[in-house]
Amino acid sequence: MNIGIIGLGYVGLTTAAVLAELNHHVICVDNDSGKIGRLRQGIVPIYEPGLEECITRHCQDGRLLFSDRMEDGFGGCQVIFITVGTPPLDNGSPDLSALSAVIIELANRIRSFTLIVIKSTVPPGTCEWVAKTLLDIGVDPTQYDVASNPEFLREGTALHDMLHPDRIVIGVRTERAASLLREVYTGIDTIYTVTSLSASEMIKYASNAFLAAKISFVNELSRVCDALGVDVAEVSAGMSQDVRIGPHFLQAGLGYGGSCFPKDVGALYHAAVSRGVAMPILRAVKEINDTQVDWCIDKLSESFGDFEEHRQVAVWGATFKPDTDDIRESRAVLLMKKLTESGYQVHAYDPLVKPEVPHVWWFNDMYDALVHCDALIIATEWSLFQDVDWSEVTKRMKGNLLFDGRNFIDRKKAEEAGLRYLGVGRP
Ligand code: UGA
């Protein structure tokens, strides 16, 4: 099938690669001509394991084409996925201006029946609005349909998640749209959840908000575990074995970041309160996340036991999670900012990025970052931090405090090397 994709961020690029993998011919459009130029040379603008190889392979076999503008008729594409960004506005609601601009331009390019699939995360009612906008512009309603097909991939495992999804959610108005989307995904072994347009849009927000709630719940639990001298990691592990609870998203830490959870929690909250619906659980989810870094800094400061100005600490990890170069809403970066504001001197290391954070000194080597430091804080759970030589860490540091902000270090090994281990909600 010939398929179009408009908007080449994480979701757009991964969708393009996976659809090419499924033997479709994919025309990818983005209005950033610099990005298109680089993609044509095989340079992928984001770090995502396996993505560059996959895109390069399918550029060479002609399954992927990149363009900075929509052509008339859009290359005979029967299905066009829209994967443009919907970043948050100041009030928390999503900015739909990119989507709106694409729909208006697309309206003038439709020459034969086209299924327009909204993959961007959008509030319930947006797909209906797209269908109505096309009608208002004068597009023949027999020549198009609109569907919702939210994406559930995680950064760092994007290709795997899209090729092996738990389910594919499709919101449709017609059987024709549903069967076209099933045809698109032929080759992927999963179940389909077929719903109305707005239920499909809501499933995406509800899923992300629920996962964020699990994280905030376990982070809140970490605070009471800390007060009661209970290890939250043991508690999570015990809860996980109940199939009704499950093992995922119960890892206490510095809180959730990234381009999705903070944005989607905010958007759902805004959608509710702007219609007079209070969402106290969601408000608390956000509140706990907003204060978790401060809570961790308080724990760190308390554990020094005495007051000394200009303490030096090393922070390992800057991205919002491992295996990505994405620092959007990163708790690690927030931690660095708040540490410097609290008077700490911060040395930092990350295997992929060195974001500009005022007063933070970046190092190319993780051990070099430790020199003169009173404490080491693990802020992102990159697997290389698990395999470190802890005796070398102890040798390089001035102090011996290890704050595991992600509860993922082998505590015994670190303690055997002489480090004083402090976790999130771990006595
Ligand atoms: C998230 C969802 O997991 C995807 O299903 C969804 O498609 C995506 O948002 C999106 O809406 O596009 P992502 O933001 O890539 O994916 O990353 P996650 O793996 O979900 O992690 C989000 C944040 O939660 C990270 O900062 C991570 O460190 C934190 N987290 C995760 C915890 O603090 N504890 C956990 O137990 C799990």
Side-chain angles (χ1 to χ4, degrees), residues 223-363:
R223 301 181 190 185
V224 69
C225 280
D226 189 79
L228 296 174
V230 182
D231 186 340
V232 74
E234 282 184 358
V235 176
S236 297
M239 289 166 64
S240 297
Q241 272 137 19
D242 184 327
V243 289
R244 294 169 303 173
I245 297 173
H248 306 292
F249 286 74
L250 285 179
Q251 179 92 9
L254 295 171
Y256 60 78
S259 63
C260 305
F261 285 176
K263 164 176 84 75
D264 294 348
V265 167
L268 183 55
Y269 186 73
H270 177 270
V273 296
S274 64
R275 287 163 181 80
V277 181
M279 286 195 95
I281 294 181
L282 214 54
R283 198 180 61 223
V285 167
K286 185 175 164 357
E287 232 169 73
I288 293 159
N289 202 55
D290 287 346
T291 52
Q292 187 69 0
V293 163
D294 302 288
W295 184 83
C296 289
I297 292 177
D298 287 348
K299 287 305 312 168
L300 178 80
S301 305
E302 270 170 35
S303 67
F304 281 125
D306 56 346
F307 179 76
E308 191 185 303
E309 269 199 334
H310 309 307
R311 279 201 188 271
Q312 299 197 16
V313 293
V315 177
W316 281 359
T319 53
F320 87 95
K321 62 186 267 186
D323 298 319
T324 176
D325 59 358
D326 197 341
I327 55 155
R328 284 175 289 177
E329 297 278 343
S330 165
R331 298 297 100 176
V333 171
L334 183 68
L335 173 81
M336 291 177 201
K337 279 188 194 144
K338 289 193 174 240
L339 282 168
T340 58
E341 283 161 16
S342 311
Y344 285 96
Q345 288 186 3
V346 178
H347 293 186
Y349 168 81
D350 183 278
L352 275 192
V353 297
K354 284 193 183 74
E356 183 68 39
V357 187
H359 314 299
V360 168
W361 298 348
W362 287 94
F363 288 78

Side-chain angles (χ1 to χ4, degrees), residues 3-146:
I3 298 178
I5 295 188
I6 305 173
L8 299 178
Y10 262 98
V11 173
L13 285 169
T14 311
T15 308
V18 165
L19 294 180
E21 213 49 24
L22 295 174
N23 294 326
H24 297 297
H25 284 94
V26 190
I27 302 175
C28 310
V29 175
D30 195 290
N31 59 8
D32 180 343
S33 45
K35 187 191 274 185
I36 294 297
R38 287 191 293 281
L39 281 163
R40 282 182 179 148
Q41 294 165 36
I43 303 166
V44 174
I46 51 172
Y47 172 77
E48 183 62 40
L51 188 62
E52 193 157 277
E53 295 85 322
C54 188
I55 287 181
T56 307
R57 196 168 65 248
H58 291 302
C59 279
Q60 282 162 0
D61 67 17
R63 292 200 174 276
L64 282 181
L65 291 176
F66 292 100
S67 175
D68 56 6
R69 64 203 142 85
M70 297 182 207
E71 301 294 341
D72 264 10
F74 217 115
C77 291
Q78 260 181 293
V79 178
I80 296 178
F81 284 90
I82 298 181
T83 51
V84 294
T86 52
L89 294 168
D90 286 346
N91 65 6
S93 70
D95 180 356
L96 300 178
S97 56
L99 174 70
S100 177
V102 162
I103 295 301
I104 289 163
E105 187 168 357
L106 196 55
N108 300 311
R109 311 270 176 205
I110 293 174
R111 298 285 175 268
S112 57
F113 180 82
T114 310
L115 177 64
I116 297 163
V117 185
I118 311 295
K119 215 179 226 318
S120 307
T121 302
V122 292
T126 306
C127 287
E128 288 290 359
W129 169 82
V130 168
K132 185 172 176 308
T133 303
L134 291 170
L135 196 63
D136 290 349
I137 293 174
V139 185
D140 176 354
T142 63
Q143 293 300 294
Y144 71 90
D145 199 355
V146 177

